[in-house]
Amino acid sequence: VECLDLVLIGFGNVGRRFARLLAETSSRLERDCDLTWRIVGIATGRHGAVLDPAGIDVGQALRRTENGQRLDTLRHGGPPGDESGPALTPGLDLIRRLDALGGRSRHQVIVETTILDVRHGQPATDHVREALRTGRHVVTANKGPVAFAYAELRDLARSVGREFLFEGAVMDGVPVFNLVRETLPAAEVVGFRGIINSTTNHILTAMEEGREFDAALAEMQRAGIAEADASLDVDGWDAAAKAAALANVLMAGGVTPADVDRTGIARVTGADVRAAVAAGQRLRLIASARREEGRVRASVAPRLIPGTDLLAGLRGMQNGLVLETDVLGEVAIVQLGSGLAQTAYALLSDLVTVRRGL
Amino acid sequence: VECLDLVLIGFGNVGRRFARLLAETSSRLERDCDLTWRIVGIATGRHGAVLDPAGIDVGQALRRTENGQRLDTLRHGGPPGDESGPALTPGLDLIRRLDALGGRSRHQVIVETTILDVRHGQPATDHVREALRTGRHVVTANKGPVAFAYAELRDLARSVGREFLFEGAVMDGVPVFNLVRETLPAAEVVGFRGIINSTTNHILTAMEEGREFDAALAEMQRAGIAEADASLDVDGWDAAAKAAALANVLMAGGVTPADVDRTGIARVTGADVRAAVAAGQRLRLIASARREEGRVRASVAPRLIPGTDLLAGLRGMQNGLVLETDVLGEVAIVQLGSGLAQTAYALLSDLVTVRRGL
C-alpha cells in the first residue's frame, strides 16, 4: 500500500468536502486502489495555514475552520510569520516551506482548490507551477491553470516526471479529460459542443417556465453555485475558461479564455427563450470548438438548437458535452447531478490516477 | 514498440471492419500507443480458415472473403482438414492449432467476433474460455461470454495473467466498461437504466411519427442492424443479454440473461406510443438493474418515462446509459452515432488496453 502525503492549498467548500470524502472512502481506497493518505499541510485564505509532516487531524481542521478559528496553532512545522523577503501568498508560502520539513522521500501531492480569478487564472496557476517545479504531483479542481497555461504546465510535469491532473475543471467529477485519455485511445477529437455552465443553464430553463432572470440568478447565488461576481457566469467567462481548457487538452488548441469568441446571456429575455420553445427549439449557452484552417476556434454563445438535440434536454444545473471524434462519431457524457460532492470526487479520482502511475 | 499477434475468430462484417480500421490507424497506433500488430490467423464461418505465423496479407484476406473465395489457400501453417479426432468448430480448431505453430514468445490476442446465439452465449463463450486457458489475451465484441460466464472468465483471465476485454458488448465503441473501470475509481455503481437496443428504439420512435411497427423493423433488418431473427430484438433478448453483462461487470450481479425480468415490445402499438407523447411522456424499452435485498435484480421492459428524462430524448438508433453511483450521483454516457465502425473501434480500444497492460 502506497501512502500519499497531501497538501491542501485552499480549504473552502471544495477543499473541505474533499477532506470529508477522503475520510469517508478511506477503507475503500485502501482495499480497491491500494492507496492510503495523510494530510500534511493546509493553506487557507482566511484561517491561516498549518504544516505537520506527521499528519494533521482532519476532523480538528474541519471543526476549527468551520468555527471561524485559525489553523496556525493546530500544530505545525514552524512558527507562523517566520518568512523573510517579500510577502508570499499563503499557498506559495506553504509549498516553499515544504522542503524545509523533509519527508521528500514520500510521494507528495498538492491539492489546489483556491478561489480562482477566472480572468487571469491566478493564484492557481502560480501554485501549480511552483508545486511541479519542486517535484510534487498536482491535482486541482481549478480551470485556470489548464485554461491559461496548459501546454507549459503539462511539459513541466513531464520534465519532472510528475502528474498534473484537473478532472474537476470541467463538469465536476464526471469524467471528461480522463474519458478521452483513458477510454478513447487512437481517436482524435475534432470538435465539441456542450453546456458546461450550470448557472446560465438554470437561468435559461427557469425563464422557459416563466420565471425572471434576476430571480433565477439569485437562486443560484443563494445555493453557492453561481459566482459571487455574476458577470463571471452571465457574461460567459466561466464557460469560456472551460471551453479553453477543453480545447487545449482535447484538441491541442493553444488558446486562452480571451481567445474564445464569447457572448453571454445578459441580453437574453424570457420572451426569447419562450419563443424558441414555441418553435420547437431551445435557447442554450453553448460552448463549442472546431478546427478551422489549422487553428482551433472556440466560442461561447446563446444558440438556438433543435428541441430534439441531446443538449436541449438538459435542464437546470445539468451539464453535457458532445465530443465529435474521427473514428467513433459523436459520444456524449452527461452530468445529471451536480454539487460539491461531485467536485470533491473529481479530486479523488485524480488522486487515484496519481497512485496508479507510481 | 510492442507487436501484438492477432487471431481473428469470426471475419464477418465486424471482423472485416476491424481489420480495415487497424490498417487505417496503423501509424497512429504506433505513434500514440506504442503498438504494432500482425494478423496471424483468421477463422471464418463460411470461407475456411488460415494461419500464418509470419503474418497474413489483410488486403488479400478481405478481397477473398468479399468475393466469396475461401481463405484456406491464402497460405497457412498446415494443410486444411488435417485434424484427427472429433470435429471441431472452426474457431476452436484454429485456437488449438496455434500452439503447434510456435511463436508463443510473442503476445497473442484472440479477437472474437463470431455470430452469437444470444440465448446460450455460444460459440463465443467456448472460444474465450479456450483462448484464455491456453494463455492468450481476448478482446471480443460479443455480449455472450460476459452475459453468461463473466465471473468464471474473469477469474480464469486473472489466473493466467491475461486480459479479457469486451467493450463492444454494450453500446459499441462508446466506453461503458472502460468508463467505470478507468475513470470512476472508488465509486460504486448502485444501479443503472438505459436504452441499449437500437432496433427497438428505432421502432418505438418511428411509431411516434406515425409509421408502422413492421415497416420500421424491416428498415432495421435491411440496414443490417436488426438481428435476422426479429425475436432477439423485439422480445428483448438482446437487451436482456446486455443488461446481464452490465449487471455482472458493474454490479457483480452474477446473473444470466434468463434471470433478467424481460418484456419485449411486440404488443406495443402505435396508439400506445402516441398516447404517451400526447401525455408529455415517452414509451421506451428500458434496461435497468438495482440491488434489492442483497441481490441484483435486472429487467428489460417498455416503460413510460417523462418527456424530460434524458433517455426520452434518444431517438432512432441512439443509445444511452445512466449510471447511478454512490459518490458521484448520476452520470450518463450517450452514443449518438452507431454502426460497424463503432463496434470495430471498441475492439481497437480493447487492443490498446492489452498493450498498456504489458
Side-chain angles (χ1 to χ4, degrees), chain A residues 21 28-29 173-175 178-179 181-188 310 322 326-334 336-337 341-342 345 349 352 356, chain B residues 21 28-29 173-175 178-179 181-188 310 322 326-334 336-337 341-342 345 349 352 356:
Chain A
L21 181 63
R28 197 186 289 185
L29 287 171
V174 168
N178 291 336
L179 177 78
R181 193 182 61 233
E182 301 295 336
T183 77
L184 302 178
E188 189 174 318
L310 176 79
V322 181
D326 57 348
V327 288
L328 188 59
E330 287 192 336
V331 179
I333 183 105
V334 176
L336 296 172
Q342 277 80 3
Y345 177 77
S349 75
V352 173
R356 287 177 177 169
Chain B
L21 182 63
R28 198 186 287 186
L29 286 171
V174 168
N178 291 337
L179 177 79
R181 192 182 63 235
E182 301 297 335
T183 76
L184 301 178
E188 189 175 317
L310 175 78
V322 181
D326 57 348
V327 288
L328 188 59
E330 287 191 336
V331 180
I333 183 102
V334 175
L336 296 173
Q342 278 78 6
Y345 177 76
S349 75
V352 173
R356 286 178 177 168

Side-chain angles (χ1 to χ4, degrees), chain A residues 136-158:
Chain A
R136 277 90 190 185
H137 301 284
V138 174
V139 310
T140 179
N142 263 324
K143 52 200 158 285
V146 71
F148 283 88
Y150 172 63
E152 174 213 332
L153 297 172
R154 176 203 58 200
D155 292 345
L156 174 57
R158 280 185 191 156

Side-chain angles (χ1 to χ4, degrees), chain B residues 292-342:
Chain B
E292 279 174 19
E293 296 164 8
R295 283 186 51 199
V296 172
R297 286 175 119 48
S299 72
V300 168
R303 298 192 191 282
L304 283 171
I305 58 176
T308 52
D309 190 299
L310 175 78
L311 298 178
L314 301 182
R315 306 185 61 75
M317 291 164 53
Q318 295 174 344
N319 280 201
L321 183 67
V322 181
L323 298 170
E324 300 162 47
T325 72
D326 57 348
V327 288
L328 188 59
E330 287 191 336
V331 180
I333 183 102
V334 175
Q335 175 172 38
L336 296 173
S338 171
L340 282 178
Q342 278 78 6

Side-chain angles (χ1 to χ4, degrees), chain B residues 210-230:
Chain B
R211 284 144 75 199
E212 297 297 327
F213 190 109
D214 292 340
L217 172 58
E219 282 169 19
M220 287 290 95
Q221 286 176 322
R222 276 196 301 277
I225 307 292
E227 306 281 349
D229 173 1

Side-chain angles (χ1 to χ4, degrees), chain A residues 102-171:
Chain A
R104 286 303 302 277
S105 60
R106 305 177 64 92
H107 300 286
Q108 289 184 342
V109 185
I110 305 290
V111 182
E112 218 289 347
T113 63
T114 60
I115 295 172
L116 181 73
D117 174 352
V118 80
R119 290 192 177 88
H120 303 96
Q122 294 293 8
T125 301
D126 282 346
H127 292 159
V128 173
R129 188 183 290 117
E130 181 70 11
L132 290 172
R133 207 183 56 75
T134 55
R136 277 90 190 185
H137 301 284
V138 174
V139 310
T140 179
N142 263 324
K143 52 200 158 285
V146 71
F148 283 88
Y150 172 63
E152 174 213 332
L153 297 172
R154 176 203 58 200
D155 292 345
L156 174 57
R158 280 185 191 156
S159 73
V160 296
R162 295 295 184 273
E163 299 278 1
F164 164 45
L165 299 167
F166 39 78
E167 185 57 71
V170 178
M171 287 176 62

Side-chain angles (χ1 to χ4, degrees), chain A residues 327, chain B residues 17 19-28 37:
Chain A
V327 288
Chain B
R17 188 67 195 81
R20 276 207 188 79
L21 182 63
L22 274 177
E24 290 161 10
T25 56
S26 260
S27 59
R28 198 186 287 186
W37 54 273

Side-chain angles (χ1 to χ4, degrees), chain B residues 36-59:
Chain B
T36 61
W37 54 273
R38 291 186 316 183
I39 294 178
V40 298
I42 304 177
T44 74
R46 292 178 298 153
H47 301 277
V50 58
L51 267 182
D52 187 340
I56 293 161
D57 182 324
V58 181

